[in-house]
Amino acid sequence: MKRLTLVLSAVFALGFGLPLAATLLATDPVDLDAIYRIKDEGLQVQRSKVMDIESYLTDVYGPRLTGSPEIREAADWAMKTMKEWGLANVHAENWPFGRGWQNQRFVAMALTPRAYPLIAYPKAWTPGTNGPVTGEAVLAIIQTDQDLETWRGKLRGKFVLTAAVPNVNPQFDAPGRRLTDAELADVSKQPQVNVGRGRGPGGGPNALQAQQTFQRKRAQFFVDEGVVALIDPSPGSGGTVFVQGPANVSYDPKAPLQAPQVVMAVEQYGRIARTLEKNVPVTLQMDIQSTFLDTTLTSFNIVGEIAGTDKADEVVMLGAHFDSWHAGTGATDNAAGAAVMLEAMRILKQSGLKPRRTVRLGLWTGEEQGLLGSRAYVKEHFADRTTMQLKPEHAKLDAYFNLDNGTGVIRGVYLQGNEGVAPIFEAWMEPFHNVGMATLAIRNTGGTDHLSFDEVGLPGFQFIQDPIEYDTRTHHSNMDVFERVQANDMMRNAVIVAAFVYDAANRDDKLPRKPLPRPAAPPATQAR
Ligand SMILES: [Zn+2]
């Protein structure tokens, strides 16, 4: 179906009836010699560096929470490495963020009625306990003003279990998988729009505001009551703990402190709660040392280039977010994307190919806090989203390619509604049909840094990837670690990205663009 559509649009657009392949070759010849050299450098185990980069970014320097000392060390290593490869113009560009945070120590045990170690992690940007603290656990589910009154004066020195014990279902489906042909066919179709009227559940902005007000009141209540720590059950199971920051986190050094907060493996949370239900007291001990870092309130993006030749003033960008959450080492989210993009740059440089346009890598931080780094970069270089005032560089950027969906091999590209690029990408994918990359999705995909470019009318694209274990196991969890990263997929991804970037850099014309959007405030984005 997809091919048929393309043949028809190509025929109508060009006004003659050549077969699709001939049409595409006529308009977008792929330099197969260059593709050979890219594959040769990137697919040989002895020469590929992608898993070596991945190991540095995770095992040595991970996790890479925005504003933490770890991410700065990781950035120093990445920039040093880029310089060793001979990349040009390697530097960091600062942007205002807020306070950093680092956890130095976390120990959690149940002491009575039985002693056992607990699998748990502190939420980012919550304070520590000021040394080891022992106290009783209590289940206190607080969702209304009435609940606040019920529990007032009863929680001092307690570990508060904040939610009912979740159901844990058997895992009949394998956690890891590849996209099926049927799923890829579905992704390639225009999605159904929701034509239902009304705002749907949630009740609109007033209800949201009321909820946020109550959350702030609840957070202050726990501080005033003097709880030791709040404990949430992890939404994962099998020892996997998904943990980010508190819902109403603030990076402002002047914001009021919250109580220490912890996410615990659901099975142990359940054991404690079920013991309490039998009126058997449970004593816990935790030692949480966490530090707020207020000396540097900026974060940064990392940039590096391969200079172009006859079109050097025009730029093709590739990028990925460099930051992660903190419980694992941020291996699939998003050391995988950053390592692939770094390796793509290394391949292009090492292969000796000469891109006509300048190729520029951007590694962003603050993605997990809402695409903050890439939006700051786009505003600084290309356009202000709110006013749609364009800077001169806006006209010079050809395209931006992003990777942020874990370790899985690339199966295609999301077009973000830009149908003009479909026949071009179709031609560029041809040499990668044999690794399963053959799908163009007209639909948008959200949640990551290509949006920062797309929302100011620049061609920004995110690749379609096999999910592997992304949503089931690794994404924002303590199991986002090196072992979950697949070397073959990573090597292929670096080669595909290098080829796409080279194709774009050496094309006679820049890629077609969508019409410019009207000025608007950027929407709050739920980051991936
Ligand atoms: Zn993420």
Side-chain angles (χ1 to χ4, degrees), residues 321 323-325 333-334 367-368 404 470 475-476 527-528:
H321 78 86
D323 62 311
S324 72
W325 285 106
D333 184 20
N334 186 28
E367 191 272 351
E368 299 293 2
D404 180 23
Y470 199 57
H475 182 237
H476 301 179
R528 289 286 291 171

Side-chain angles (χ1 to χ4, degrees), residues 440-459:
L440 293 178
I442 187 64
R443 67 181 61 184
N444 294 349
T445 185
T448 186
D449 296 299
H450 67 294
L451 289 183
S452 305
F453 294 78
D454 184 67
E455 65 197 13
V456 297
L458 292 168

Side-chain angles (χ1 to χ4, degrees), residues 199-503:
R199 294 183 176 280
N206 285 344
L208 185 68
Q209 206 169 37
Q211 203 192 2
Q212 284 169 346
T213 305
F214 179 74
Q215 287 306 328
R216 274 194 296 273
K217 196 196 291 186
R218 180 178 179 269
Q220 190 58 44
F221 171 81
F222 288 125
V223 174
D224 295 342
E225 290 295 300
V227 304
V228 181
L230 306 178
I231 305 173
D232 291 353
S234 170
S237 68
T240 301
V241 179
F242 294 92
V243 51
Q244 307 179 45
N248 49 343
V249 65
S250 172
Y251 312 106
D252 180 351
K254 296 192 193 79
L257 273 192
Q258 301 205 24
Q261 295 177 47
V262 164
V263 183
M264 188 177 287
V266 67
E267 296 86 349
Q268 296 181 319
Y269 185 94
R271 181 177 179 185
I272 295 166
R274 288 186 298 272
T275 309
L276 291 173
E277 277 167 14
K278 296 171 182 65
N279 290 319
V280 177
V282 178
T283 311
L284 304 181
Q285 184 178 71
M286 290 192 195
D287 183 2
I288 313 174
Q289 282 177 36
S290 295
T291 309
F292 291 98
L293 307 158
D294 290 344
T295 45
T296 314
L297 297 177
T298 55
S299 189
F300 58 86
N301 298 313
I302 303 167
V303 177
E305 291 183 343
I306 298 171
T309 54
D310 62 314
K311 289 178 183 288
D313 63 323
E314 295 178 358
V315 178
V316 176
M317 286 195 73
L318 61 163
H321 78 86
F322 194 69
D323 62 311
S324 72
W325 285 106
H326 59 292
T329 53
T332 66
D333 184 20
N334 186 28
V340 162
M341 291 314 190
L342 282 161
E343 171 72 351
M345 290 296 278
R346 189 197 66 81
I347 290 170
L348 287 172
K349 184 72 188 170
Q350 185 63 31
S351 66
L353 293 165
K354 295 282 173 236
R356 297 177 63 192
R357 294 185 177 84
T358 294
V359 172
R360 182 186 299 159
L361 171 67
L363 297 174
W364 323 114
T365 68
E367 191 272 351
E368 299 293 2
Q369 286 68 36
L371 321 185
L372 302 181
S374 59
R375 278 194 173 140
Y377 186 86
V378 165
K379 189 174 177 184
E380 180 71 25
H381 288 268
F382 302 119
D384 185 331
R385 175 77 187 94
T386 337
T387 60
M388 279 310 289
Q389 291 274 342
L390 306 187
K391 302 208 170 188
E393 287 179 71
H394 190 280
K396 297 292 185 184
L397 185 76
D398 183 11
Y400 170 72
F401 295 99
N402 193 72
L403 198 65
D404 180 23
N405 270 314
T407 184
V409 77
I410 291 172
R411 306 299 299 275
V413 192
Y414 292 103
L415 298 179
Q416 299 299 125
N418 184 345
E419 306 217 25
V421 297
I424 301 164
F425 285 180
E426 191 72 36
W428 295 357
M429 286 197 302
E430 195 77 39
F432 300 102
H433 283 186
N434 54 16
V435 293
M437 184 200 193
T439 300
L440 293 178
I442 187 64
R443 67 181 61 184
N444 294 349
T445 185
T448 186
D449 296 299
H450 67 294
L451 289 183
S452 305
F453 294 78
D454 184 67
E455 65 197 13
V456 297
L458 292 168
F461 304 102
Q462 159 92 336
F463 291 101
I464 303 166
Q465 293 174 260
D466 276 341
I468 313 294
E469 302 160 307
Y470 199 57
D471 286 326
T472 50
R473 190 145 168 88
T474 65
H475 182 237
H476 301 179
S477 86
N478 60 334
M479 286 297 128
D480 193 6
V481 293
F482 185 89
E483 278 70 11
R484 308 258 67 83
V485 176
Q486 305 306 314
N488 257 292
D489 293 39
M490 295 280 285
M491 289 164 69
R492 290 171 178 196
N493 287 352
V495 162
I496 289 168
V497 170
F500 261 63
V501 165
Y502 184 79
D503 291 337

